[in-house]
């Protein structure tokens, strides 16, 4: 068994770092992601990505063993995406994600730092129903537009 060294202090990654690296990697694959997206079931996905052909990807960021194993809501995301991934920091015990209750065949794995990420396990995609895909695509687009409006407003105020 390989012993993984956990980063400490200034080297420890926070969820925002893992999300940033994951978002950059997804963008390279032309899957554009938005953070903190509310779903139709009142859950909130850490990242939701939309690919050119309409494929919906949800990524749940986990930076600690306790966070991963204590999350009882993650399966609620599966009905809102074609692909589901866990995103974890470098040094995280990847073997935890092979547990049967974490559905390794359905859940891909991304390892990330604050600058980049790599997919180390692809999930088996489960296509969304057309009506759900439309609803989630609209939810994604409206969330992104709201954030863009907020950035434009912030820039306008800072120019005064």
């Amino acid at each position: 068994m390989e012993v993984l060294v956990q980063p400490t202090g200034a080297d420890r990654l926070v969820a925002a770092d893992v999300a940033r690296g994951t978002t950059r990697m997804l963008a390279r694959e032309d899957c554009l992601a938005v953070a903190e997206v509310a779903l139709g079931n009142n859950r909130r996905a850490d990242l939701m990505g939309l690919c050119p052909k309409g494929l919906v990807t949800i990524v749940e960021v986990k930076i600690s063993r306790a966070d991963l194993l204590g999350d009882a809501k993650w399966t609620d995301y599966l009905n809102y995406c074609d692909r589901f991934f866990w995103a974890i920091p470098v040094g995280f015990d990847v073997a935890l994600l092979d547990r049967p209750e974490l559905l390794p065949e359905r859940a891909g794995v991304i390892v990330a730092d604050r600058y980049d990420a790599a997919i180390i396990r692809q999930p088996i995609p489960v296509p969304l129903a057309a009506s759900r895909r439309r609803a989630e695509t609209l939810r994604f687009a409206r969330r992104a537009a709201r954030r863009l409006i907020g950035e434009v407003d912030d820039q306008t105020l800072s120019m005064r």
Side-chain angles (χ1 to χ4, degrees):
M1 183 165 101
E2 181 180 337
V3 177
L4 299 174
V5 177
Q6 290 294 327
T8 58
D11 294 331
R12 175 165 243 131
L13 294 174
V14 296
D17 296 328
V18 173
R20 180 178 187 255
T22 300
T23 299
R24 292 171 66 139
M25 182 271 302
L26 289 171
R28 267 198 329 275
E29 294 187 354
D30 205 15
C31 183
L32 303 177
V34 173
E36 297 295 326
V37 177
L39 304 174
N41 61 359
N42 295 319
R43 296 288 188 201
R44 186 173 304 275
D46 289 338
L47 294 172
M48 178 185 266
L50 192 59
C51 302
K53 293 184 178 180
L55 183 75
V56 177
T57 299
I58 289 181
V59 179
E60 183 69 1
V61 175
K62 296 297 175 190
I63 60 168
S64 74
R65 175 187 174 97
D67 187 23
L68 173 69
L69 299 179
D71 186 346
K73 67 186 181 340
W74 76 272
T75 55
D76 294 345
Y77 302 141
L78 298 178
N79 292 326
Y80 291 85
C81 61
D82 299 290
R83 299 187 308 171
F84 177 86
F85 287 94
W86 298 107
I88 57 175
V90 174
F92 193 95
D93 183 4
V94 179
L96 288 171
L97 298 166
D98 290 335
R99 293 176 173 213
E101 65 270 21
L102 296 177
L103 305 176
E105 67 286 348
R106 180 71 164 93
V109 178
I110 297 169
V111 175
D113 62 21
R114 65 182 55 96
Y115 303 107
D116 203 359
I119 296 173
I120 62 168
R121 181 175 73 209
Q122 288 283 352
I124 296 173
V126 177
L128 285 173
S131 60
R132 176 64 54 89
R133 179 178 313 287
R134 181 181 185 279
E136 294 314 309
T137 301
L138 285 172
R139 189 181 324 279
F140 178 92
R142 292 179 58 78
R143 171 67 54 133
R146 273 191 213 102
R147 290 190 184 166
L148 183 58
I149 290 167
E151 286 184 24
V152 169
D153 283 350
D154 289 345
Q155 288 174 359
T156 302
L157 289 174
S158 69
M159 291 171 32
R160 290 182 181 176

